[in-house]
Amino acid sequence: MPHLLILGGTTEANALSRAVAEAGLTATYSYAGRVDMPRPQPLPTRVGGFGGVDGLCGYIRDHEITHLVDATHPFAAQMSHNAKAACLATGIELAALTRPEWDEVTGDRWTRVPDVAAAAAALSGPARRVFLAVGRMHLDAFAVRPQHHYLLRLVDEPETLPLPDAEVVVARGPFSVAGDRALMQAHKTDLVVSKNAGGSGARAKLDAARELGVEVMMIDRPTMPPRLELRSSIEVLDWLDHG
Ligand code: NAP
């Protein structure tokens, strides 16, 4: 009997969780535990790190996992590398549920940078009004650029912030273009800093930036290990059927 482990925390993982539950398959959904109130899932759920590659190998063996779908965020590189190593070590099947990158379209004013550190380095100039849409985990990297006014959109209210001039909006996607346009107008945003996450849930800010003529600093994705990449829940179900 196959037992699927879904590494989640994304819109795509949630859609897969629904599809797998509807298909009546045996599966467990895993959250890292980064947010206070993770979304409830229609599958048995576990929360927290596994304890590196060895911990994940132990979890796979103890729970007789036969297939692993890495549906984590494209910037969750550590987890994806661990998943690949643990699947190799235990001999179970691995697939990643991935989404295409966002591409610049006519009217966009993007500058691309290779990683979060490069984004912070590129903000060395005079004060700007920056919509820093990189998530709580990466804010520390921008502490070296305290001259800017930052708009932060976070899932939970932060206890402390490494940025002296920041306004926090607590909200959880998916977001709308009209809502993001209004947010950026209200905050007089003149630069959006975004990770190239892809997908639909967080795209609205880019469409809003284009409509407002606002610049975007786009952070490229980290390198992922080679693995089977699937694009939809249907492709995953098909793979589970035949894998
Ligand atoms: P990461 O840096 O790649 O992972 C760091 C460690 O967190 C991993 O080594 C693992 O700990 C634990 N971990 C990560 N994802 C996990 C999962 N789904 N289940 C159990 N443990 C997990 O990951 P991250 O970038 O911090 O992302 C953490 C979670 O947030 C992921 O589920 C991801 O899908 C979601 N997320 C991330 C972003 C982002 O921009 N990075 C955005 C939206 C959602 P151990 O080594 O102890 O196993």
Side-chain angles (χ1 to χ4, degrees), residues 58-218:
Y59 183 92
I60 288 169
R61 292 194 180 105
D62 292 349
H63 295 80
E64 298 181 348
I65 303 294
T66 56
H67 294 72
L68 189 153
V69 174
D70 179 357
T72 56
H73 191 272
F75 279 71
Q78 184 65 58
M79 187 70 254
S80 293
H81 284 281
N82 290 0
K84 167 85 188 214
C87 288
L88 274 179
T90 55
I92 70 160
E93 301 287 334
L94 167 69
L97 177 56
T98 60
R99 36 189 161 161
E101 287 192 331
W102 290 317
D103 272 329
E104 205 171 354
V105 300
T106 308
D108 279 333
R109 300 175 63 204
W110 287 16
T111 307
R112 297 182 81 132
V113 291
D115 53 29
V116 171
L123 284 176
S124 59
R128 301 187 71 171
R129 298 186 66 86
V130 182
F131 181 6
L132 185 58
V134 296
R136 179 173 56 91
M137 306 296 290
H138 295 297
L139 296 182
D140 285 348
F142 295 87
V144 294
R145 301 290 177 236
Q147 71 271 35
H148 304 295
H149 172 83
Y150 292 101
L151 166 62
L152 309 174
R153 181 159 59 192
L154 304 172
V155 176
D156 297 308
E157 190 71 53
E159 279 170 21
T160 56
L161 281 175
L163 307 167
D165 183 10
E167 245 174 286
V168 176
V169 175
V170 175
R172 197 185 275 228
F175 301 104
S176 72
V177 179
D180 278 4
R181 200 176 46 224
L183 180 74
M184 287 160 61
Q185 279 177 314
H187 287 83
K188 300 187 172 57
T189 298
D190 63 44
L191 175 69
V192 177
V193 179
S194 170
K195 293 185 285 197
N196 197 334
S200 56
R203 217 214 120 79
K205 59 182 175 286
L206 305 178
D207 296 333
R210 183 184 326 107
E211 286 180 16
L212 295 170
V214 167
E215 285 176 50
V216 172
M217 190 180 292
M218 185 59 74

Side-chain angles (χ1 to χ4, degrees), residues 26-51:
T26 305
T28 304
Y29 189 105
S30 177
Y31 276 120
R34 297 279 189 270
V35 303
D36 291 345
M37 292 274 288
R39 271 181 211 281
Q41 296 296 333
L43 293 175
T45 301
R46 64 164 303 284
V47 181
F50 297 95

